[in-house]
Amino acid sequence: MSTDSKITNWADSKTGEFKRGQSAFRNWISKKPGAEFPPEQGRYHLYVSYACPWAHRTLIARKLKGLESIIDFTTVHEHMGEKGWRFVNPSDPNEKIIEAENVRPDPVHPQFTHLRDIYFSVDPEYRGRFTVPTLYDVKQNKIVNNESSEILRMFYTEFDDLIEEKYRNVDLFPKELQADIEETNKWTYDEINNGVYKSGFATTQDAYEKALLPLFRSLDRANTHLASQPGPYYFGSHITEADIRLYTTIIRFDAVYVQHFKCNIKDIRSGFPALHKWGHYTRSHSQINPYGIVPVGPVPDILPVDEEVEAVKAAVKAGLA
């Protein structure tokens, strides 16, 4: 069992820097003959949290690749307590359950109350973290993988023999862009996706500023790139992995990270015009945000796609943005 004194102690006790742990389960669903985890309809269950951007990206890929009837999912309760993510409990009269798809008790293990129960059922001596997304093999009672970037790649191709042609033709990692996507992933992950966490969970001023400044430099970099592209997506006319991985952070930025994680040098709406327009475009498409999760705020409401706040209008007019 995990020996951590508190499950949310994520910062280094000496430096105050947030340290993301490595995902422990790194198996792979594969079409190759003899694979331990072959692609099958109904065999795998995906555990997610709507609050989690890493889990969100797997839901997007699941939708875009038409895997809804192939891979079922369950989302945990939005609150992470001392035992980590838990499942909702409809029998509790005081339980507040959000109205969203598959917010429910674990249908695979009705007796389990927490995500950690699944981890310990697989490995009673498990000492890592209990994270979402978690991809579980119902047939073998094994966790396949809990690394979102690898789950994404599995969803891209390994189930293609089981889905309609229109979904097989959705190429989120095209060969001609793979090198560009991989290069973008490196700094997007380290300084934006993980950068907001390194800022928000820092426990010293130095650790906070060490993470915050690279975060905003990289937001500037992404904004400049998008301004140079014909659009509407990160690398032009077709959605790719680069869009998915960046989007789940950007859509949460103004509503959550600006205040909750103290990432408040600038917001997306008024500080990064190209990111703002790109985010609006993807938000308007159900295949990118399939569950229609709309953040509360900021006030006033998010502006129409072709309208900017006064500060941005002035900056654009002056040639500063």
Side-chain angles (χ1 to χ4, degrees):
M1 183 175 293
S2 176
T3 58
D4 291 345
S5 59
K6 191 174 182 181
I7 200 168
T8 53
N9 285 344
W10 296 327
D12 185 280
S13 60
K14 294 181 179 179
T15 66
E17 296 179 12
F18 170 72
K19 300 294 184 182
R20 184 173 297 280
Q22 292 293 316
S23 299
F25 295 89
R26 309 296 286 270
N27 301 303
W28 202 270
I29 295 172
S30 174
K31 294 185 290 185
K32 294 180 180 178
E36 181 181 5
F37 300 101
E40 295 178 13
Q41 184 172 7
R43 175 166 176 166
Y44 302 99
H45 199 88
L46 182 66
Y47 294 93
V48 302
S49 164
Y50 285 139
C52 175
W54 315 99
H56 188 184
R57 55 170 68 168
T58 64
L59 288 176
I60 291 174
R62 174 181 175 272
K63 179 71 174 182
L64 291 174
K65 289 296 296 185
L67 296 172
E68 296 103 310
S69 65
I70 306 295
I71 301 171
D72 197 7
F73 79 95
T74 295
T75 185
V76 296
H77 191 279
E78 69 268 21
H79 179 253
M80 179 187 286
E82 291 184 0
K83 294 183 178 181
W85 297 113
R86 69 174 178 86
F87 298 106
V88 297
N89 181 11
S91 63
D92 182 351
N94 297 317
E95 180 80 300
K96 295 181 179 179
I97 303 176
I98 63 171
E99 295 294 330
E101 185 178 8
N102 290 356
V103 180
R104 58 184 178 176
D106 182 2
V108 181
H109 317 92
Q111 74 277 23
F112 288 173
T113 59
H114 288 75
L115 184 68
R116 62 186 273 155
D117 296 333
I118 299 172
Y119 280 72
F120 289 141
S121 72
V122 172
D123 180 5
E125 300 302 320
Y126 180 72
R127 294 180 177 272
R129 293 177 59 208
F130 319 104
T131 61
V132 289
T134 295
L135 186 61
Y136 183 79
D137 181 350
V138 175
K139 181 178 288 188
Q140 297 190 81
N141 297 315
K142 292 181 178 180
I143 294 175
V144 180
N145 199 296
N146 66 338
E147 168 52 52
S148 65
S149 63
E150 294 176 357
I151 295 173
L152 279 181
R153 297 281 174 90
M154 289 182 233
F155 285 2
Y156 294 168
T157 58
E158 299 307 317
F159 292 88
D160 277 0
D161 293 342
L162 304 179
I163 58 178
E164 298 177 44
E165 182 178 1
K166 65 178 180 179
Y167 293 119
R168 290 197 297 271
N169 292 336
V170 175
D171 190 355
L172 298 170
F173 194 54
K175 288 184 179 180
E176 67 274 15
L177 289 174
Q178 286 180 4
D180 291 329
I181 292 172
E182 293 283 27
E183 192 276 332
T184 299
N185 284 347
K186 290 178 183 178
W187 58 268
T188 298
Y189 165 77
D190 186 51
E191 298 184 348
I192 298 180
N193 300 141
N194 202 38
V196 294
Y197 285 88
K198 290 190 288 186
S199 300
F201 290 127
T203 57
T204 67
Q205 188 70 31
D206 285 346
Y208 164 66
E209 293 183 11
K210 183 179 179 181
L212 189 72
L213 300 181
L215 164 63
F216 280 87
R217 284 197 297 268
S218 288
L219 287 172
D220 278 325
R221 182 176 179 180
N223 189 72
T224 299
H225 169 83
L226 284 164
S228 71
Q229 294 294 304
Y233 299 107
Y234 197 87
F235 284 116
S237 59
H238 297 286
I239 188 170
T240 68
E241 179 178 284
D243 294 280
I244 296 172
R245 289 175 60 131
L246 182 59
Y247 172 76
T248 58
T249 297
I250 298 304
I251 197 62
R252 290 166 168 79
F253 200 90
D254 287 5
V256 179
Y257 302 141
V258 167
Q259 53 89 19
H260 190 50
F261 283 2
K262 300 178 288 294
C263 300
N264 60 351
I265 293 177
K266 292 188 286 187
D267 61 19
I268 299 299
R269 182 173 63 161
S270 62
F272 302 98
L275 272 171
H276 168 64
K277 290 184 177 180
W278 170 83
H280 266 75
Y281 192 95
T282 53
R283 181 175 176 273
S284 69
H285 286 72
S286 60
Q287 74 268 35
I288 312 304
N289 187 15
Y291 304 102
I293 301 171
V294 180
V296 177
V299 177
D301 292 337
I302 294 173
L303 300 174
V305 66
D306 294 321
E307 186 178 342
E308 304 290 0
V309 295
E310 293 303 319
V312 172
K313 290 179 182 177
V316 170
K317 186 175 183 180
L320 301 176

